[in-house]
Amino acid sequence: MACAFFGLDCKVFMVRVSYDQKPYRRALMEAFGASVTASRGTETSQAGRFSPSIHSPMDRWDCHFRGRGIAAKDPNTKYALGSVLNHVLLHQTVIGLEAIEQMAMADDEPDVIIGCTGGGSNFAGLVMPYLGRKIKGQGKARVVARNRQPAPA
């Protein structure tokens, strides 16, 4: 949406499992003018080299490698990783801030926060505000990070 707002071209390399399982995300990006390519697709660097049963590790490598490769060849192209970096984690903290507010409305505090790490941004967005409170001595929640089994990172 931001690229469309500023009149910029947008090319997204999406992990194959998300590309296949979440077509509505792809459709939304395409509705705003983005070109979306699945990892291990015809436009990616490792097309056809990996078994379809290989999930996230090589998919992510393929997406990141291809995106950086395109950006490196064109001085007018910028590469932005979609998750697990500071700019994403910062706005994702709204998840944790909202959870803190909702727990306060219930006059309660979690003992344990368990979350799926995947790319990490949703998990970090949830737990970072709680960890900040814990560091300041304002909370006691234990944080447990878990990874999904069907498509391990």
Side-chain angles (χ1 to χ4, degrees):
M1 188 181 310
C3 287
F5 181 79
F6 289 105
L8 301 171
D9 291 333
C10 179
K11 178 139 192 81
V12 176
F13 291 97
M14 193 173 188
V15 174
R16 168 63 68 181
V17 69
S18 292
Y19 185 90
D20 292 337
Q21 292 178 353
K22 301 167 186 171
Y24 48 89
R25 289 186 182 178
R26 184 175 72 244
L28 183 61
M29 289 185 276
E30 290 171 343
F32 282 98
S35 168
V36 183
T37 300
S39 59
R40 293 183 279 128
T42 57
E43 293 183 55
T44 57
S45 60
Q46 300 301 318
R49 291 192 55 193
F50 302 116
S51 161
S53 65
I54 295 176
H55 288 298
S56 198
M58 297 313 291
D59 282 354
R60 286 187 183 158
W61 175 83
D62 187 44
C63 288
H64 299 315
F65 183 82
R66 183 63 175 152
R68 286 192 308 262
I70 288 173
K73 293 176 187 171
D74 185 349
N76 295 317
T77 299
K78 303 297 180 212
Y79 175 74
L81 186 60
S83 64
V84 303
L85 293 179
N86 293 340
H87 69 284
V88 176
L89 296 181
L90 182 61
H91 80 263
Q92 291 292 77
T93 58
V94 72
I95 299 166
L97 295 171
E98 178 68 19
I100 289 170
E101 289 295 319
Q102 289 183 20
M103 292 299 291
M105 290 170 61
D107 195 31
D108 206 352
E109 188 75 24
D111 296 316
V112 180
I113 302 169
I114 302 171
C116 179
T117 54
S121 60
N122 287 334
F123 174 75
L126 173 63
V127 302
M128 288 303 192
Y130 278 104
L131 291 176
R133 289 170 45 89
K134 189 173 185 176
I135 290 167
K136 295 175 192 171
Q138 300 170 343
K140 59 178 175 31
R142 184 171 71 103
V143 173
V144 178
R146 293 295 302 163
N147 201 1
R148 62 203 186 283
Q149 290 300 337

